[in-house]
Amino acid sequence: MWLLTPTTALLTLLLANLSIAAADEKKSKPNKPCTLHSPNSGSFFDLTTISLSPLEEGKKVHKDERTESWHAKGYDYGANFSINICSPVIEELEDVVGVDEKLWKNVSAYYEMDGKTYSIGQQSSEPIFRGRKLVLNYTDGSPCSTRNDDDDDDRGSRKGGTRGRKSTIISLLCDRDPLSPKASVAFVGASPDDCSYFFELRSSAACGGATDAQQTLGPSGVFGVIALIAVLVYLVGGCVYQRTVMHQRGWRQLPNYSIWAGIGGFIWDMVIILTSSCAQLLPSRRGYSRVSSSGNGNGGRRGNGAEDENRLIDQLDEEWDD
């Protein structure tokens, strides 16, 4: 039977506080641009992989890099569309109808008709979920009803209203087919007043997955986490067992205390032996030295020196054995 001891209570409280702090940090941490978490499944969606950027001048174009924005055929609409995800289009636009010149570089979707360029939305990097649908919305494009400006102006003046601006809604759909392109955009339709445009984009980036933090955890990281959990279970479980069942106190609460104590003693003995060996190699004036005999025939003096040397060695051996 497991009993709640002060040690286990402290560890339980610490783990609970850590889990609460991690959950609060996850909730309070804002998403990066062009990323979000699904409120339904909790999956992480990163659309930056299909967001195109202009190539640097002089840089060699690689096989997978694009020099144009994503394109969609307009079919019966009479114009084709160019779109980028979460970023302005790659193309350099000029004379965009009804848009200030300083905002030309922020257009994320446009089409050309009758030699004119029409914006259907400014850049936005905040995709959202509407129910289970992942959508991206661009607003503040060119003025609406640009096909028949004269008729629209008359209708607007008669109604006493003002024309709105073009906007785009992109529905992002999951496509797990490995043979499919990185992203494919299809034009769905437009409103009768040419104010709203609807597209579908299919890509593997719209399938969702683990968070970016989890994706960076490689095999070595997983092994490290498992090893850390195993060590914690070994220490906590062993301490609880030694304290509650074996009634141990102090350091003896550690699991397999005798083994760890023996390893510690062995390491300490090795340290003493190594330091003693190193100390003997150092030059020193202390100790004894053998007295060399001269050629004057002092044989007795030479014998006494050898006996003193042997006696000193025996004394050192006895002290070392004690």
Side-chain angles (χ1 to χ4, degrees), residues 255-283:
N256 304 111
Y257 170 78
S258 58
I259 296 177
W260 297 114
I263 294 175
F266 173 77
I267 295 174
W268 180 248
D269 292 341
M270 292 300 297
V271 171
I272 294 177
I273 293 173
L274 292 176
T275 53
S276 300
S277 301
C278 293
Q280 292 178 2
L281 298 177
L282 296 177

Side-chain angles (χ1 to χ4, degrees), residues 65-215:
E65 292 180 337
R66 290 180 61 92
T67 57
E68 296 179 349
S69 303
W70 305 110
H71 298 302
K73 292 183 178 181
Y75 299 104
D76 58 336
Y77 187 79
N80 296 327
F81 301 88
S82 297
I83 297 175
N84 199 1
I85 303 300
C86 297
S87 299
V89 292
I90 296 178
E91 296 79 4
E92 294 184 2
L93 303 182
E94 295 181 355
D95 300 329
V96 181
V97 176
V99 179
D100 294 338
E101 182 177 356
K102 61 182 181 180
L103 298 178
W104 292 352
K105 60 182 180 180
N106 291 332
V107 175
S108 288
Y110 75 98
Y111 67 90
E112 295 179 347
M113 180 181 290
D114 299 331
K116 297 181 180 179
T117 302
Y118 300 96
S119 169
I120 55 175
Q122 296 286 313
Q123 182 261 347
S124 174
S125 58
E126 296 181 358
I128 60 174
F129 271 95
R130 288 196 174 100
R132 293 184 176 273
K133 293 290 185 179
L134 176 60
V135 297
L136 183 62
N137 192 18
Y138 296 148
T139 58
D140 296 329
S142 299
C144 300
S145 302
T146 54
R147 288 190 176 187
N148 300 303
D149 288 333
D150 295 336
D151 296 340
D152 294 330
D153 289 340
D154 294 338
R155 287 197 297 267
S157 61
R158 286 197 299 268
K159 295 178 181 179
T162 58
R163 294 182 302 175
R165 289 190 171 272
K166 296 178 181 291
S167 62
T168 296
I169 296 178
I170 305 173
S171 177
L172 296 109
L173 305 176
C174 175
D175 185 4
R176 299 184 184 276
D177 188 356
L179 301 179
S180 298
K182 193 174 183 180
S184 60
V185 185
F187 173 63
V188 178
S191 60
D193 58 355
D194 294 334
C195 266
S196 300
Y197 297 81
F198 306 93
F199 298 88
E200 284 186 350
L201 184 145
R202 296 182 178 273
S203 173
S204 59
C207 297
T211 62
D212 50 355
Q214 292 174 346
Q215 290 176 350

Side-chain angles (χ1 to χ4, degrees), residues 293-302:
S293 58
S294 60
N296 297 329
N298 296 330
R301 186 174 178 181
R302 180 177 179 180

